[in-house]
Amino acid sequence: MGRRARDRRRQQQQQQQRQERGGGGDQAVRAGPGEVKRGDERRSRRADGGGAFLQGWAGGYPEIVKENELFERYYRELGIVPAGEWDAFMAALREPLPATLRITGYRSHAKEILHCLKEKYFRELQDLEVDGQKVEMPQSLSWYPEELAWHTNLSRKILRKSPLLERFHQFLVSETECGNISRQEAVSMIPPLLLDVSPHHKILDMCAAPGSKTGQLIEMLHADMNVPFPSGFVIANDVDNKRCYLLVHQAKRLNSPCIMVVNHDASSIPNLQIDVDGRKEILFYDRILCDVPCSGDGTMRKNIDVWKKWTTQNSLQLHGLQLRIATRGVEQLAEGGRMVYSTCSLNPIENEAVIASLLEKSQGALELADVSSELPGLKRMPGITKWKVMMKDGQWFEEWKDVPSNRQSQIRPTMFPVKDEEKLKTMNLERCLRILPHHQNTGGFFVAVLIKKSPMPWNKRQPKVHQKLPERTGDTEVTAANSGNGSDCIFEEPTLGENEESKKMQELQTLDTEQSKKEGVCGPPPSKKMKLFGFKEDPFVFLPEDDPLFLPIQKFYALDPSFPKMNLLTRTQEGKKRQLYMVSKELRNVLLNNSEKMKVINTGIKVWSRNSDGEQFGCAFRLAQEGIYTLYPFIHARIINVCIEDVKILLTQENPFLSKFSSETQKKVKDMAMGSIVLKYDPDPEKPHDLQCPIVLCGWQGKTSLRAFVPKNERLHYLRMMGVEVFKAKRKEEELENKTEEEVQHRLVQTEERMDVEDKEHDLVTKMEAEIGEESSQSPVENSAMEIENKIEDLDQSSKNANAHVGQEGKDTDASNVKD
């Protein structure tokens, strides 16, 4: 337990002791008008049994009073709320934010999930009452395409009060883990939609964590599920190392080979290079999402602490950072590209002031896009052109010249509106979007869409970076991408008049990394080159073209000649390769040419896992479910087509005998060797009541049984789509697990009697460790790679094989969990 956790526990214990003592500590709570004392609260709690008091937000503490005089004074004066709507605006801010969910649009299962939601779970909510109150039916967001986003006023507390609602809650949790549903605030869905992403776009998400918008971008890349490797990709960045791992968790749910998570300060994120027909070019992005850190006063409905903490000082302190990040973004944007700038703040200092400053110094290189016709149904307010700056003490300033010298370090000229009417008119600030909470029962938000027409003015001259390339620290070159300033010495595009000296400098820059690129090793950047915190990541090692590891895999699965084997990588340079990952060709290009410039946290999806017993069947690697939809188009062997009844058996039973499957399946399996297999279900159009989306599962064929290797939540997802009651299936699964464990223990006793002392001790320990690790960590369907046969002809040999295999798979899975 960490120090902070111990301090929190100590504080909770002290608070509990004070409450039990009763009358002590009658300290007034600063709650504005009508304040109450804690001693009185405790006495009232004891008098009514605590029920009335526990209705507050904090479950035992007084509800935060949603009042802030400075907030109201500030926004009344700025006039961002239309006349006559102020009371509705404030009333909406004081109401809890509705829960919203989004169905992932790129998956073939999206329509099935939507059908399941509307026809099953939403129907169960009709005429349902909880504590005498009728439950409101979820409603689709009118402006989100294809009814893939919904909002509901149901809270977690209400969800747990009724068995029907609890089942709905379990559905949401399980589908979220699978990546089929994302719980995301409604206004947060707007920026990715306005980016207008296509599968070929190179995308940068500058401040990506926690990752809900990144997930939307990945979905848009995979709009066509028949294309396993879109030519575009997403590079998701965040400055906070810990939040990067949250971002990895969100992104990995979508199982895409086209996502890379990096850890950098967005205001000085380095220029990346790519190889284009043998020459080095700077990577410019077609789309950039610039969702910058902000004061967050648009989130008051869910982050109620903002009510008491809000001051204008927050915006004044963040304005400079926001402008630097936005500037760095447009520098890396390709000509004709689109960048969306967004905040969850209503404050013009963080919004229009940043955009106006960016447009002014771009000297016509940028323009605001008119998106008034996009997202029909979304109610929005235009951007404002006039505003004032207020200090936290309430003092107003209308122009920079009015600011006293002792305040000029806090207030900067870029915070004020442009005074030149002609220049202001050409900026078209009214094209910005401001979402007000009371218009569609959402949070507050701001969005601006920028189009880049030409290079930025400071990038048209010879870049300063070329003068700094020869400087070295240790064995690496110091580049402008690693300097503290994001705009002073960052080059954007090579000018037409680039001289021979700059070309030589560019050649010098690539010499140091040439050897490592030949070896296909992309290690972390040297510690001297940039300040990096957090965990030291393992290198990304691409398989060489002549690696003997790949040949048995290619032969066993009859991989298509077009399979991009050069895109396979591991995370280790020494020892056995436990897992094989895959990235797209474009991300491979980025990795190989920028290993010293950026800190990569994670990329690629797992496609194969080592199986120690697989070698005797012809291949040491079994298929991984995470990457099966990427691999499947290239696999031409070991595919078994199954009917929907077979799929139900595979997903509800632990070790089903072959005799339980359809006769067609048994015939296909009969002549196939043991080992890893692909199980494919194709929908039958003549049976519209059956599941109408294809399913691809990883499995293992044994001597007398057939099983699937599917993570628990994904298994439940498929069963729901087929109309199977998952709660019954869950209970049945637990019974089967207990039964399997008893059979394993019985077999161990028999094996112990036949083996000599040395072999007996080794196999027993291996078996017990595997079973304990398996039962405590994950579902057996997820971890095992070879079933425990119920009827085995040769007990000794099968037991040894099963023990060694399951033990190794347990180790592999543990290692994979730590890595991922």
Side-chain angles (χ1 to χ4, degrees), residues 361-413:
K361 67 180 182 178
S362 76
Q363 299 176 13
L366 299 173
E367 70 172 357
L368 275 170
D370 183 2
V371 293
S372 57
S373 61
E374 299 183 33
L375 304 185
L378 176 65
K379 294 182 181 179
R380 63 200 89 182
M381 295 296 297
I384 61 177
T385 57
K386 302 292 182 184
W387 63 87
K388 297 185 290 184
V389 178
M390 186 174 78
M391 298 291 294
K392 64 179 180 180
D393 58 5
Q395 184 178 2
W396 289 96
F397 298 102
E398 294 191 11
E399 297 184 44
W400 165 248
K401 64 181 182 180
D402 299 332
V403 181
S405 57
N406 64 334
R407 297 292 182 91
Q408 290 184 0
S409 61
Q410 302 174 46
I411 299 179
R412 304 302 300 156

Side-chain angles (χ1 to χ4, degrees), residues 648-657 660 732 736 781:
K648 291 179 182 178
I649 293 172
L650 287 164
L651 297 177
T652 56
Q653 298 187 28
E654 173 62 20
N655 290 307
F657 289 123
K660 294 185 177 182
K732 189 174 182 180
L736 285 168
V781 176

Side-chain angles (χ1 to χ4, degrees), residues 577-590:
K577 298 175 176 64
R578 301 286 184 189
Q579 317 286 347
L580 294 182
Y581 302 87
M582 175 162 269
V583 296
S584 65
K585 178 181 68 175
E586 289 72 21
L587 276 188
R588 180 182 188 273
N589 193 346
V590 174

Side-chain angles (χ1 to χ4, degrees), residues 28 50 110 174 188 198 290 315-316 462 473 483 496 508 527 665 667 806:
S174 179
S188 174
S198 296
C290 186
S315 299
L316 300 180
Q462 185 68 29
T473 302
S483 64
L496 294 175
L508 285 173
S527 58
T665 300
K667 290 178 183 178
V806 177

Side-chain angles (χ1 to χ4, degrees), residues 159-222:
L159 283 172
R160 293 183 180 128
K161 282 198 172 185
S162 165
L164 289 176
L165 289 179
E166 183 181 2
R167 182 160 54 184
F168 178 49
H169 178 66
Q170 292 292 336
F171 166 80
L172 294 179
V173 171
S174 179
E175 295 296 333
T176 299
E177 285 297 319
C178 293
N180 298 312
I181 282 178
S182 290
R183 287 189 265 185
Q184 179 181 356
E185 190 176 345
V187 290
S188 174
M189 305 175 192
I190 298 173
L193 293 176
L194 292 179
L195 263 182
D196 189 25
V197 171
S198 296
H200 66 278
H201 283 151
K202 301 174 182 66
I203 307 167
L204 173 65
D205 191 349
M206 301 188 74
C207 309
S212 55
K213 300 182 188 68
T214 307
Q216 276 182 275
L217 298 176
I218 297 172
E219 294 167 25
M220 294 171 184
L221 279 184
H222 292 271

Side-chain angles (χ1 to χ4, degrees), residues 74-75 77-80 316 319 346-357 359-360 383-390 396-400 411-419 424 427 429-430 432 434 446:
Y74 181 70
Y75 283 113
E77 183 69 23
L78 291 181
I80 66 167
L316 300 180
H319 171 85
L346 302 172
N347 200 324
I349 304 300
E350 303 177 63
N351 299 327
E352 285 91 347
V354 173
I355 297 300
S357 177
L359 291 171
E360 186 174 24
I384 61 177
T385 57
K386 302 292 182 184
W387 63 87
K388 297 185 290 184
V389 178
M390 186 174 78
W396 289 96
F397 298 102
E398 294 191 11
E399 297 184 44
W400 165 248
I411 299 179
R412 304 302 300 156
T414 53
M415 297 178 182
F416 292 89
V418 177
K419 293 299 180 182
L424 186 63
M427 288 183 177
L429 289 179
E430 68 279 357
C432 300
R434 181 175 274 102
F446 175 88

Side-chain angles (χ1 to χ4, degrees), residues 179-457:
N180 298 312
I181 282 178
S182 290
R183 287 189 265 185
Q184 179 181 356
E185 190 176 345
V187 290
S188 174
M189 305 175 192
I190 298 173
L193 293 176
L194 292 179
L195 263 182
D196 189 25
V197 171
S198 296
H200 66 278
H201 283 151
K202 301 174 182 66
I203 307 167
L204 173 65
D205 191 349
M206 301 188 74
C207 309
S212 55
K213 300 182 188 68
T214 307
Q216 276 182 275
L217 298 176
I218 297 172
E219 294 167 25
M220 294 171 184
L221 279 184
H222 292 271
D224 185 358
M225 281 297 291
N226 295 320
V227 180
F229 293 102
S231 57
F233 57 79
V234 177
I235 294 181
N237 173 72
D238 202 85
V239 67
D240 190 315
N241 184 264
K242 292 181 180 179
R243 283 167 62 87
C244 280
Y245 291 95
L246 177 60
L247 178 57
V248 169
H249 173 73
Q250 293 281 7
K252 286 182 77 66
R253 296 181 307 131
L254 299 173
N255 297 329
S256 170
C258 305
I259 171 71
M260 178 190 294
V261 177
V262 299
N263 181 202
H264 286 280
D265 180 356
S267 64
S268 58
I269 190 169
N271 284 315
L272 302 183
Q273 289 185 333
I274 53 175
D275 190 300
V276 180
D277 298 327
R279 68 180 187 276
K280 298 291 184 295
E281 290 188 1
I282 304 302
L283 172 62
F284 292 101
Y285 301 95
D286 303 302
R287 297 290 186 268
I288 293 180
L289 179 56
C290 186
D291 186 52
V292 297
C294 64
S295 61
D297 56 19
T299 68
M300 296 175 112
R301 300 183 68 177
K302 64 175 183 179
N303 299 325
I304 57 175
D305 280 350
V306 177
W307 281 98
K308 61 180 181 180
K309 294 179 179 179
W310 186 93
T311 72
T312 56
Q313 192 68 21
N314 299 336
S315 299
L316 300 180
Q317 292 172 345
L318 286 166
H319 171 85
L321 174 64
Q322 293 162 338
L323 182 56
R324 290 196 301 274
I325 294 175
T327 301
R328 189 70 188 109
V330 295
E331 285 174 346
Q332 299 204 330
L333 188 64
E335 288 186 45
R338 176 179 284 209
M339 185 179 91
V340 170
Y341 175 90
S342 62
T343 72
C344 50
S345 169
L346 302 172
N347 200 324
I349 304 300
E350 303 177 63
N351 299 327
E352 285 91 347
V354 173
I355 297 300
S357 177
L358 200 57
L359 291 171
E360 186 174 24
K361 67 180 182 178
S362 76
Q363 299 176 13
L366 299 173
E367 70 172 357
L368 275 170
D370 183 2
V371 293
S372 57
S373 61
E374 299 183 33
L375 304 185
L378 176 65
K379 294 182 181 179
R380 63 200 89 182
M381 295 296 297
I384 61 177
T385 57
K386 302 292 182 184
W387 63 87
K388 297 185 290 184
V389 178
M390 186 174 78
M391 298 291 294
K392 64 179 180 180
D393 58 5
Q395 184 178 2
W396 289 96
F397 298 102
E398 294 191 11
E399 297 184 44
W400 165 248
K401 64 181 182 180
D402 299 332
V403 181
S405 57
N406 64 334
R407 297 292 182 91
Q408 290 184 0
S409 61
Q410 302 174 46
I411 299 179
R412 304 302 300 156
T414 53
M415 297 178 182
F416 292 89
V418 177
K419 293 299 180 182
D420 188 331
E421 291 296 331
E422 288 297 322
K423 187 182 292 186
L424 186 63
K425 187 176 180 180
T426 59
M427 288 183 177
N428 296 312
L429 289 179
E430 68 279 357
R431 292 181 177 178
C432 300
L433 282 68
R434 181 175 274 102
I435 311 299
L436 298 181
H438 63 292
H439 282 168
Q440 288 181 306
N441 198 15
T442 64
F445 212 72
F446 175 88
V447 186
V449 183
L450 292 161
I451 304 292
K452 186 174 182 178
K453 300 190 295 182
S454 62
M456 304 303 287

